[in-house]
Amino acid sequence: MRADVEALDLRDVAANWVNAAALHHQVSERIKALADLADTPLFFGRLDYLHAPGAEAAEGAEGERFYIGRRHVHDADGDPMVIDWRAPVSQPFYQASKTAPMDIALRRRFGYTGGELTAYEDERLSDPSEAEQTSKLLQSEIERPRVGPMRDIVATIQPEQDEIVRQGIGGTICVQGAPGTGKTAVGLHRVAYLLYAHRERLARSGTLVIGPNRSFLHYIEQVLPALGELQVAQATVEDLVTRPALGAEARGTDSADAARIKGDARLAEVLRRALRSYVTAPTEPCVVVRGSRRWRVPAYELEEMVEELLTRDIRYGAAREALPQRIAHAVLVRMEQAGEAPDDRVQDAVARNAAVKAAVKAVWPPVDPAKLVLRLLSDADFLAEHAEGVLDADEQKTVLWAKPGRGVKSAKWSPADLVLIDEAADLIERTPSLGHVVLDEAQDLSPMQYRAVGRRCSTGSATVLGDIAQGTTPWATASWEEALTHLGKDGAAIEELTQGFRVPREVIAYASRLLPAIAPGLSEATSIREAAGDFSVRAVDPAELDAAVIAACQDALTHEGSVGLIAADARVPALAEALDAAGLTHLSPARRPAPRPGSRSSRRPWPRVWSTTTWCWTNRPRWSTASRTNAPGCAACMSP
């Protein structure tokens, strides 16, 4: 299929150079989508239908066989050889069971090792004499240690995950998932499914995956390309709100209290008040000179226009653009009363008149969002005026800068400040909306960050992923209902995944003891993975701690997989020195690994050092540096 695309002769097939460039780009993207992946097989399953899908069941009617894979594959004649996993005919591969066979006679799973077919396993779903069995291939795939970036789970999607993946684009879905339940993979596969089912719509409006940090995005970056989807943008929340053109980039930090208050949704009202304060009541009439005639719009009439626009509560910039048209209309009314017959061109000309522009500038001046936030955080009186009744005196004092910046570019903006600037910018001019947004690790976002993300999907839908029990920030919201309200998606469906696939049963049971205290509304998670003896809690004398840590790392390195070492910030340098002294190569979250020598089977995992500031409720790192050769995860749960 790729060779056919590469052989296309694009000469003299386009009407002009613009069409030719677009066509070449489309062909180039198609070739990329058809790239070979050495370790990724084209098919992983087979379905034998009792009857042809869509045909009525009749005596003697023949069934039909389909191979299921990551993408559609056809032969030289264009006949399908492999059916895309997202197609409706593929759904029984994930949903069919002995109790609901969905007209499937046989379901076959194929097993691969290094891209080579090594096993297959059959389930005769419509045969009453065959008992239901647990798939050994599925179990071995789940148990396989993770090496490299996140892989797709298309061959192992479970029924409850498939139901979420295939939900329509019409509404927002929130997926609450315990550690290791595959919520991130479900969200990514949902994007792939929506691009399959609504390709033209999303091609126009765009899709975006938002992650908590760059390490996370590196970790997941190959999932969608492996499924043939190359047009999905990825960003962090900080990426979305950074505005280099204004000079607003994060170069500073906030205290926990300041960040919590700046992330509070109440700041949206403070910003709205501050912005509206720039609008002043007109004190002078507007006099428009056209030819030998002078047309006068009195101050009281201008004031009525301003009040009407303020009452409508439309965006600052839109109202500022509407005001000159209102003034021009008032002038045209006077022209008609005087016997003239002006048209739309005259109204546009009046709206561009110097006197009208001057009147609008005096009453409704342009406002720079970064300068507005700079003034709020630097001017105590300005903040007190517009935060009255919203923030108390202590809160106002907390968010004020001790050393105000002289200007936008010299100010040491914090990540929370950038979110405020983004809010102010949206109050001035509407933020463009995408067709679909996936928001992962959403439990750590502040209400203002939710609002920033919600603006990017105000007319589209979203898939929100996270675990309320893993919230680690002082500004984290207490419930998904509250988070969805800030996101602008009230009433969105909330789905809960409670069956883990990567976290050993012993680990998740130990961690679940915290649920009554930190998230009493959540169901206790379970896991199908057993790792008896792999989980232990040991007390060590402080003087022997470094040696015990090195011994634990050396022991963990005898097993296949990735190793994560979690430590307090202050301990990281000492532990890194101890690892170096023991000859254990390691990586910090800020570094990406170099390729390791040797074959796949001879590779040994590398330990890593994390900070306790990234702990989650299973005592594992939230996210680590991701790479193509070493998957992040801890020795206990092997989860990202």
Side-chain angles (χ1 to χ4, degrees), residues 482-496:
E482 180 186 349
L484 291 168
T485 297
H486 294 310
L487 193 69
K489 303 294 182 182
D490 291 350
I494 301 176
E495 305 285 350
E496 190 170 359

Side-chain angles (χ1 to χ4, degrees), residues 132-216:
E132 189 162 6
Q133 57 188 350
T134 301
S135 171
K136 294 182 180 179
L137 284 179
L138 185 62
Q139 184 71 25
S140 64
E141 170 63 20
I142 291 172
E143 291 285 348
R144 182 155 63 96
R146 297 302 191 243
V147 177
M150 176 183 260
R151 301 194 313 267
D152 64 80
I153 60 165
V154 66
T156 60
I157 293 174
Q158 299 299 292
E160 64 273 17
Q161 296 174 328
D162 187 64
E163 290 177 2
I164 296 173
V165 167
R166 295 178 187 267
Q167 289 198 33
I169 198 174
T172 290
I173 298 175
C174 176
V175 182
Q176 157 64 40
T181 53
K183 53 186 176 292
T184 296
V186 166
L188 295 175
H189 284 71
R190 174 162 163 74
V191 172
Y193 173 77
L194 293 176
L195 286 168
Y196 174 87
H198 307 278
R199 188 166 301 279
E200 291 187 3
R201 174 177 173 179
L202 291 178
R204 293 192 302 269
S205 56
T207 52
L208 174 66
V209 174
I210 301 174
N213 50 55
R214 278 286 151 198
S215 297
F216 168 83

